[in-house]
Amino acid sequence: MGGVKDLIGSAKSSIAGVQIRKPYPSEDDYFKKHLNVGGMAASDNRIILNDHSSLSDQEKEAVATNEAARVHMRTNKSLSPTFSLTDEQQKTLKGTTYGKAALQDRRETIAARILSGDPSGGTPTKEQQVFVDSLKTVMFPKPKIGQVIKE
């Protein structure tokens, strides 16, 4: 793979069925001021990545997976997590933009982090892992025998 930058604007500019697009100028200005933000699920339900961050391509791919999970949860109400957060996870979110966010936003944040392998998601509970496994199945369905896979 040629890296995340090669994905943006190419024929394969999506992950888990969610399009990756270039940030609009106002979004790019935000990213320039917030180098710690690797990307986000934009309001148009597409992923934007921060080209100004120092993340590696592998880390940016994890960010894209995280943001794709957010889009899937945002657009598919059957993928709305209802699990409780652990004290560890609450502590991790405290002091971030998610610390005072609505409980549903915090749940989705933790689910997306667990799915993408972000250690800040904490140690998942059994209930959280069951939810993340079902989310992963929707995002990355396994092809059926005889199914033609489009490249």
Side-chain angles (χ1 to χ4, degrees), residues 21-38:
R21 68 162 170 81
K22 293 181 186 273
Y24 298 136
S26 61
E27 295 164 336
D28 194 52
D29 289 343
Y30 174 84
F31 282 149
K32 286 176 186 174
K33 294 175 186 165
H34 298 90
L35 299 177
N36 60 318
V37 177

Side-chain angles (χ1 to χ4, degrees), residues 29-124:
D29 289 343
Y30 174 84
F31 282 149
K32 286 176 186 174
K33 294 175 186 165
H34 298 90
L35 299 177
N36 60 318
V37 177
M40 64 177 67
S43 60
D44 61 2
N45 293 323
R46 294 188 284 173
I47 300 164
I48 54 176
L49 298 172
N50 186 351
D51 284 339
H52 308 287
S53 76
S54 60
L55 297 176
S56 69
D57 280 348
Q58 183 177 4
E59 290 167 324
K60 284 185 180 181
E61 193 163 339
V63 168
T65 299
N66 177 307
E67 301 306 338
R70 290 175 175 282
V71 171
H72 278 275
M73 288 183 279
R74 182 189 296 165
T75 59
N76 184 341
K77 293 305 171 198
S78 69
L79 293 175
S80 193
T82 58
F83 54 71
S84 298
L85 300 178
T86 66
D87 290 342
E88 170 197 20
Q89 292 163 337
Q90 295 277 27
K91 186 183 277 187
T92 298
L93 295 176
K94 192 175 183 179
T96 72
T97 56
Y98 298 105
K100 295 184 179 179
L103 177 58
Q104 193 58 34
D105 290 338
R106 289 181 280 146
R107 287 176 177 147
E108 291 175 4
T109 296
I110 293 300
R113 289 178 180 186
I114 292 168
L115 185 137
S116 66
D118 183 336
S120 70
T123 304

Side-chain angles (χ1 to χ4, degrees), residues 6-22:
D6 295 339
L7 286 176
I8 301 170
S10 75
K12 294 185 177 182
S13 60
S14 67
I15 187 162
V18 180
Q19 185 182 8
I20 301 171
R21 68 162 170 81
K22 293 181 186 273

Side-chain angles (χ1 to χ4, degrees), residues 1 7 10-14 141 143 147-151:
M1 186 171 171
L7 286 176
S10 75
K12 294 185 177 182
S13 60
S14 67
Q147 180 180 356
V148 176
I149 301 172
K150 296 178 183 178
E151 286 288 328

